[in-house]
């Protein structure tokens, strides 16, 4: 069964932009190809003085979301962008959308004219994956912990104190049982992702994701983990995504027109194009091995010598160096704040 790409799956990027930028450096002057998704991590490259960023995706709804975010960043100041996207309250989002019409292509304007409810309620809450987390917060989490306990989780503690809090106050039988059930293959495939996204997965989905969540919840980094903040509390209060932080926004706004969006998959990127850096999120794990190897062959055609490719593994391990000696793995030492992923991988074309 083929996945449906007619709606917004991700209203935010759920990969750690700080890790990505740090591990793919140096970036200044580079030409970048980046999976579009919700646009956040593609925008993040603009704060690193890159020459150009091409954002690509096969989902036209995701590209419309990216173009709308781009127009907002180009035309509004930071406080208005935060209000328009849903990070801050606003009763003026529909008018703000209409004010952007002159900077939007017809597809984007028409899509959101038909889905003004997504704008009105805040675009960052409009994806299927964000709705999945809202179901968890509304129906599952209250059966495990109350709001006071959830807020207490995010207090600043040392690593040892955080582990003690998790072991003694958070890690209950209900937490373990209901988390694994809600993040199981069946439930996540029905409400969060797509059943076809698990075609290549052979591991126990709920148990794998639980073990990764546990390592994050035991860590002192929880107090600045904006991914978990949204997943458990529905807001970005401990930190904002990279592209909207005060120290990064001006650089991104200044370079916002360096981003171009293309509707295609990786194989649709013309072999005459050449890039210094490529960000591929976790697209490889949706492919069988033959298709995946075909993607690697195409990467060799569009990468400059010594170019770097970054991608995440979630539930399927891809890009092991033994598959292709044209690529050399680089060590990744940074902390990944998004607990879902098993690893972040950077490979350089020899």
């Amino acid at each position: 069964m083929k996945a449906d790409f007619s709606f917004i799956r991700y209203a935010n990027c759920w990969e750690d932009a700080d890790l990505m930028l740090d591990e793919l450096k140096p970036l200044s002057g580079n030409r970048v190809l980046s999976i579009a998704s919700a646009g956040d991590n593609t925008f993040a490259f603009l704060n690193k003085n890159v020459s150009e960023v091409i954002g690509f995706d096969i989902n036209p709804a995701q590209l419309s979301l990216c173009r709308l975010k781009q127009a907002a960043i180009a035309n509004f100041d930071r406080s208005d962008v935060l209000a328009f996207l849903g990070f801050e309250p606003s009763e003026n989002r529909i008018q703000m959308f209409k004010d952007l019409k002159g900077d939007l292509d017809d597809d984007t304007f028409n899509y959101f004219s038909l889905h003004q409810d997504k704008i009105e309620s805040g675009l960052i809450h409009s994806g299927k994956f964000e709705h999945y987390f809202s179901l968890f917060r509304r129906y599952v989490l209250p059966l495990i912990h109350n709001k006071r306990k959830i807020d207490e989780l995010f207090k600043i503690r040392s690593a040892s104190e955080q582990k003690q809090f998790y072991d003694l106050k958070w890690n209950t039988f209900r937490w373990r049982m209901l988390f694994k059930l809600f993040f199981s293959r069946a439930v996540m495939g029905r409400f969060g992702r797509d059943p076809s996204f698990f075609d290549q997965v052979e591991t126990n989905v709920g148990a794998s994701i639980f073990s990764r969540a546990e390592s994050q919840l035991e860590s002192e980094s929880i107090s600045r983990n904006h991914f978990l903040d949204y997943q458990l509390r529905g807001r970005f209060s401990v930190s904002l995504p990279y592209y909207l932080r005060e120290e990064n926004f001006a650089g991104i706004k200044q370079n916002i027109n360096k981003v171009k969006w293309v509707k295609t998959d990786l194989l649709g990127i013309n072999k005459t194009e050449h890039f210094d850096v490529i960000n591929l999120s976790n697209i490889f794990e949706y492919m069988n091995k033959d298709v995946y190897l075909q993607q690697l062959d195409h990467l060799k055609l569009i990468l400059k010598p010594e170019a770097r490719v970054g991608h995440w593994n979630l539930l399927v391990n891809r890009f092991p160096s033994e598959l292709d000696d044209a690529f050399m793995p680089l060590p990744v030492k940074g902390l990944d704040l998004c607990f879902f992923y098993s690893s972040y991988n950077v490979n350089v074309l020899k």
Side-chain angles (χ1 to χ4, degrees):
M1 182 174 62
K2 295 182 68 174
D4 183 358
F5 292 110
S6 63
F7 58 90
I8 296 173
R9 290 184 172 275
Y10 307 103
N12 305 273
C13 284
W14 296 101
E15 299 90 18
D16 192 334
D18 293 271
L19 176 70
M20 175 189 74
L21 295 176
D22 195 48
E23 299 295 340
L24 290 176
K25 66 185 182 184
L27 290 165
S28 181
N30 283 186
R31 189 165 189 250
V32 178
L33 179 68
S34 177
I35 188 74
S37 183
D40 310 359
N41 290 3
T42 303
F43 294 135
F45 285 108
L46 298 177
N47 197 40
K48 297 299 180 180
N49 196 35
V50 296
S51 63
E52 183 182 34
V53 185
I54 305 298
F56 75 101
D57 211 292
I58 60 175
N59 185 341
Q62 294 292 155
L63 292 172
S64 289
L65 175 66
C66 292
R67 291 187 177 107
L68 183 53
K69 287 184 177 182
Q70 181 181 21
I73 293 170
N75 288 277
F76 299 147
D77 63 25
R78 179 172 172 271
S79 61
D80 284 341
V81 172
L82 292 174
F84 177 66
L85 295 182
F87 292 92
E88 299 291 344
S90 175
E91 297 180 357
N92 196 37
R93 292 182 185 130
I94 299 302
Q95 183 57 53
M96 295 173 80
F97 167 65
K98 293 176 180 178
D99 291 343
L100 294 173
K101 181 178 181 180
D103 272 16
L104 298 174
D105 63 289
D106 289 343
D107 287 344
T108 298
F109 186 78
N110 292 338
Y111 178 84
F112 283 105
S113 293
L114 293 173
H115 298 92
Q116 292 190 27
D117 58 309
K118 297 183 183 301
I119 295 173
E120 203 162 14
S121 60
L123 284 168
I124 63 168
H125 309 297
S126 65
K128 181 179 180 180
F129 205 47
E130 287 75 20
H131 178 66
Y132 180 60
F133 288 124
S134 75
L135 294 176
F136 181 70
R137 291 191 301 270
R138 184 180 303 176
Y139 298 111
V140 179
L141 201 51
L143 301 175
I144 305 170
H145 295 303
N146 59 32
K147 183 179 181 299
R148 182 178 177 183
K149 183 67 64 64
I150 297 166
D151 288 342
E152 190 179 354
L153 177 71
F154 289 90
K155 289 184 178 179
I156 298 175
R157 300 182 180 87
S158 67
S160 60
E161 291 171 333
Q162 183 66 32
K163 186 177 188 315
Q164 185 178 48
F165 174 86
Y166 177 80
D167 290 341
L168 299 180
K169 297 185 177 182
W170 189 272
N171 189 20
T172 64
F173 172 76
R174 282 191 177 189
W175 163 252
R176 295 189 295 271
M177 177 186 69
L178 293 176
F179 184 100
K180 291 175 184 178
L181 174 63
F182 192 80
F183 289 94
S184 65
R185 179 194 300 254
V187 177
M188 193 184 300
R190 172 67 177 85
F191 297 104
R193 304 183 83 212
D194 191 281
S196 65
F197 288 3
F198 296 96
D199 286 351
Q200 306 302 313
V201 177
E202 298 178 355
T203 188
N204 184 308
V205 174
S208 296
I209 293 177
F210 177 81
S211 68
R212 297 169 198 171
E214 189 168 58
S215 67
Q216 288 277 352
L217 292 166
E218 291 179 327
S219 166
E220 62 182 325
S221 67
I222 184 73
S223 63
R224 65 179 189 277
N225 192 320
H226 58 283
F227 298 111
L228 280 167
D229 190 18
Y230 185 89
Q231 291 153 359
L232 296 179
R233 298 195 291 189
R235 61 181 190 261
F236 292 95
S237 56
V238 301
S239 178
L240 289 169
Y242 179 95
Y243 76 111
L244 290 174
R245 294 176 202 157
E246 187 173 7
E247 65 270 22
N248 303 327
F249 183 79
I252 290 169
K253 183 179 179 70
Q254 180 180 353
N255 294 307
I256 194 64
N257 291 324
K258 289 184 177 181
V259 180
K260 297 176 182 177
W261 309 101
V262 181
K263 182 182 179 296
T264 185
D265 60 10
L266 182 61
L267 294 178
I269 301 296
N270 196 301
K271 63 183 180 181
T272 61
E273 301 273 5
H274 296 99
F275 299 92
D276 303 284
V277 171
I278 298 184
N279 161 44
L280 292 177
S281 182
N282 64 319
I283 65 170
F284 291 133
E285 73 174 67
Y286 306 140
M287 309 167 184
N288 64 43
K289 190 172 181 180
D290 290 340
V291 174
Y292 160 59
L293 293 176
Q294 186 182 8
Q295 308 283 319
L296 292 189
D297 287 337
H298 190 69
L299 275 176
K300 296 175 205 172
L301 301 177
I302 62 174
L303 285 168
K304 297 178 182 178
E306 299 184 3
R308 300 169 303 288
V309 181
H311 86 283
W312 275 266
N313 285 330
L314 178 60
L315 294 163
V316 180
N317 288 325
R318 293 300 194 200
F319 227 139
S321 58
E322 65 267 24
L323 280 179
D324 198 315
D325 60 9
F327 294 95
M328 178 178 69
L330 298 180
V332 173
K333 298 179 181 178
L335 173 66
D336 192 343
L337 289 183
C338 192
F339 73 85
F340 264 73
Y341 296 101
S342 62
S343 64
Y344 182 61
N345 308 272
V346 176
N347 286 266
V348 61
L349 185 67
K350 293 181 183 178

